[in-house]
Amino acid sequence: MSKNPEKANNVKITKAKGRPMLTWVGKRPLTSVRAYPAQLVERFEVQTDAPLADVDWSDWPEQFPKGGLLFHGDNKDVLAYLLANGFRGKVKLIYIDPPFDSGADYVRKVQLRGAKGTTKIDGEEYTLGEQIQYTDIWANDNYLQFMYERFLLLKELLSEDGWFFMHCDFRRNSYLRIILDEVFGEGNFRSEVVWHYSGWNRYLETSFNKRHDTVYIYSKSNSSRLNPVSIEWNSKEEYVRARKQKILTDEEGREYVLSDAGNGK
């Protein structure tokens, strides 16, 4: 651990030992990374029921302000920086929404003074009023190596009782599941959550509609446990109303509600 966040050093990465293993052209194990200073953009207050003064900060790296931290930069570089500066094995939960390899550029509209937003520069695909946020176009092997390296770094950040959630879709979920088995170990796979979403249900002649994403859930070890969260309702009417349902009565006077699993109710 480096006490000086401005000093670059090598961070050792544990070898993936899980099975099965996926192979691709150019697959390289990540044994160490070079950690350079990262740009801390913003700090957020920690949302907790207890006052911040009562939170145990004894294990918090002393060079950082206490609270939620937002860094700017390549995520691999930031992960290496966090590992080098006191966060290894400290993170309880990680959720990532990585590139899906969708084959598209993601742009946003920007306001310009003078030139109209619809004006194009010769040779450019987008207008002056559009700004590319990131390009999600990959060669297959480059994408797999990109994800593999980041999974290894993220595992190092997790505490022994930590949880890892990864959001993906149909394009790469089968590949990513095998890579996650290699990095975290097949025995630490906990669940697969299928998020079904509604939308225009057009007729396709050659395939079925693709209308769901996947969230894979892994634990760092067998010591990981979920803390159940419950909501207390004042009445059954309030509960049913919140779920946009109606209380029905059968012929014997018993109350029930209709539930359509396909709509997530």
Side-chain angles (χ1 to χ4, degrees), residues 15-16 26-32 145 148-149 152:
K15 181 181 178 181
K27 182 176 182 180
R28 303 178 304 279
L30 189 67
T31 58
S32 66
Q145 184 67 29
Y148 180 56
E149 293 180 353
L152 289 167

Side-chain angles (χ1 to χ4, degrees), residues 12-122:
K12 300 297 183 182
I13 305 299
T14 305
K15 181 181 178 181
K17 301 177 181 180
R19 296 290 187 277
M21 300 175 68
L22 183 66
T23 300
W24 56 87
V25 175
K27 182 176 182 180
R28 303 178 304 279
L30 189 67
T31 58
S32 66
V33 290
R34 191 75 168 162
Y36 295 95
Q39 180 184 356
L40 178 59
V41 177
E42 193 170 350
R43 171 189 173 272
F44 300 90
E45 294 290 343
V46 175
Q47 299 299 316
T48 174
D49 294 335
L52 284 182
D54 297 335
V55 175
D56 182 9
W57 297 101
S58 59
D59 207 23
W60 186 264
E62 61 185 22
Q63 65 268 33
F64 295 104
K66 296 178 175 63
L69 307 177
L70 174 64
F71 289 91
H72 174 76
D74 183 286
N75 50 32
K76 181 179 177 181
D77 294 337
V78 174
L79 291 173
Y81 177 73
L82 294 175
L83 287 172
N85 289 282
F87 287 98
R88 182 188 294 269
K90 303 290 180 61
V91 180
K92 293 285 189 179
L93 186 147
I94 295 175
Y95 169 87
I96 66 171
D97 191 353
F100 284 12
D101 193 11
S102 62
D105 288 333
Y106 289 87
V107 301
R108 68 166 181 156
K109 300 292 184 180
V110 294
Q111 295 292 329
L112 298 175
R113 293 182 179 178
K116 294 183 178 179
T118 57
T119 303
K120 280 190 176 183
I121 301 176
D122 290 343

Side-chain angles (χ1 to χ4, degrees), residues 64 83 141 157 234 239 245 259-261:
F64 295 104
L83 287 172
D141 300 318
L157 281 175
N234 295 322
Y239 169 77
Q245 295 174 322
S259 179
D260 182 357

Side-chain angles (χ1 to χ4, degrees), residues 129-254:
E130 295 175 323
Q131 184 180 77
I132 297 178
Q133 296 299 285
Y134 70 93
T135 297
D136 194 15
I137 303 173
W138 302 79
N140 178 65
D141 300 318
N142 290 342
Y143 178 83
L144 299 178
Q145 184 67 29
F146 175 93
M147 296 302 299
Y148 180 56
E149 293 180 353
R150 284 149 182 81
F151 289 159
L152 289 167
L153 291 166
L154 289 164
K155 182 186 177 184
E156 296 293 316
L157 281 175
L158 273 183
S159 62
E160 283 303 306
D161 60 348
W163 291 86
F164 175 79
F165 293 70
M166 189 209 66
H167 181 193
C168 58
D169 72 359
F170 65 92
R171 294 176 179 87
R172 293 292 179 180
N173 59 357
S174 58
Y175 295 96
L176 295 174
R177 168 71 187 275
I178 297 175
I179 298 175
L180 287 169
D181 280 348
E182 178 182 343
V183 173
F184 286 90
E186 184 182 7
N188 287 322
F189 172 71
R190 295 305 177 194
S191 188
E192 174 187 0
V193 176
V194 175
W195 169 34
H196 172 265
Y197 44 83
S198 60
W200 180 41
N201 192 11
R202 64 188 180 91
Y203 175 73
L204 299 177
E205 293 183 349
T206 58
S207 67
F208 293 99
N209 282 288
K210 304 176 181 68
R211 294 170 59 190
H212 79 276
D213 287 353
T214 301
V215 178
Y216 288 130
I217 304 174
Y218 283 77
S219 63
K220 179 71 173 287
S221 68
N222 289 330
S223 63
S224 301
R225 295 291 183 271
L226 291 174
N227 297 319
V229 177
S230 59
I231 299 176
E232 183 176 350
W233 300 96
N234 295 322
S235 65
K236 63 182 178 183
E237 289 79 13
E238 180 184 3
Y239 169 77
V240 172
R241 187 166 56 250
R243 295 170 61 89
K244 298 181 181 180
Q245 295 174 322
K246 292 182 179 181
I247 299 177
L248 304 175
T249 306
D250 64 14
E251 296 176 352
E252 299 181 9
R254 295 175 298 186

